[in-house]
């Protein structure tokens, strides 16, 4: 949980073609004072321009369901499958992704759910900084 250790938001991910890791990253909004460096965006930055055969199946692993920005970037990048650690805290883009043919695999990982539920409870101001706050 490098992002958490850095005082950031504990969301990260990795991009694979088969068993080959092509990119990894984490949310760096706090660390780089940036509104757009979400975990998935950092993964794509790490992977670089898509200089690979787009017919190969790209799989993105991520802590939560991507936001709309990250879902859009995933579709532009050519991701075929998104593996989601948990989607109880956030599931905004799932219908968008599946409507575009992206396969979703939700792990419902209890450890990830417990960690992120506690983090959002104790960091509400940061969590709701760039997503709609349902309490308003």
């Amino acid at each position: 949980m490098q992002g958490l250790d850095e005082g950031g938001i504990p969301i990260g991910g990795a991009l694979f073609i088969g068993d080959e890791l092509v990119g990894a990253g984490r949310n760096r909004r706090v660390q780089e004072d940036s509104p757009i460096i979400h975990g998935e965006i950092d993964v794509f930055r790490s992977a670089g321009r898509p200089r690979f055969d787009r017919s190969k199946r790209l799989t993105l692993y991520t802590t939560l369901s991507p936001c709309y920005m990250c879902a859009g970037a995933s579709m532009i990048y050519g991701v075929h499958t998104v593996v989601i650690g948990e989607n109880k805290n956030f599931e905004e883009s799932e219908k968008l992704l599946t409507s575009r043919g992206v396969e979703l695999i939700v792990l419902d990982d209890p450890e990830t759910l417990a960690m992120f539920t506690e983090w959002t409870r104790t960091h509400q101001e940061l969590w709701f900084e760039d997503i709609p706050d349902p309490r308003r």
Side-chain angles (χ1 to χ4, degrees):
M1 301 297 304
Q2 188 173 0
L4 186 61
D5 293 342
E6 295 169 346
I9 299 168
I11 299 173
L15 184 67
F16 285 83
I17 297 175
D19 293 337
E20 178 191 357
L21 175 67
V22 293
R26 62 191 178 283
N27 187 301
R28 295 178 194 241
R29 282 180 34 222
V30 173
Q31 298 92 315
E32 295 191 26
D33 194 29
S34 168
I36 62 169
I37 306 179
H38 289 199
E40 296 87 347
I41 299 300
D42 197 42
V43 167
F44 298 132
R45 284 190 338 165
S46 167
R49 290 174 46 212
R51 296 182 179 152
F52 46 79
D53 180 351
R54 284 188 177 255
S55 69
K56 294 187 177 178
R57 294 197 60 83
L58 285 169
T59 302
L60 173 66
Y61 291 82
T62 184
T63 306
L64 304 177
S65 294
C67 71
Y68 286 117
M69 175 180 67
C70 295
S74 298
M75 292 183 295
I76 289 168
Y77 210 83
V79 170
H80 292 85
T81 305
V82 179
V83 180
I84 300 163
E86 68 96 348
N87 70 346
K88 304 295 186 261
N89 283 290
F90 193 75
E91 61 179 334
E92 273 309 292
S93 69
E94 291 182 10
K95 288 181 184 176
L96 171 64
L97 288 164
T98 57
S99 76
R100 299 296 197 277
V102 177
E103 176 188 14
L104 302 183
I105 300 171
V106 180
L107 301 178
D108 281 330
D109 178 62
E111 184 178 339
T112 302
L113 176 61
M115 178 278 301
F116 207 80
T117 299
E118 175 61 18
W119 185 87
T120 56
R121 186 184 67 74
T122 59
H123 295 83
Q124 288 188 11
E125 183 175 316
L126 185 56
W127 174 237
F128 290 118
E129 184 177 275
D130 73 342
I131 63 169
D133 185 344
R135 302 167 300 168
R136 294 183 191 159

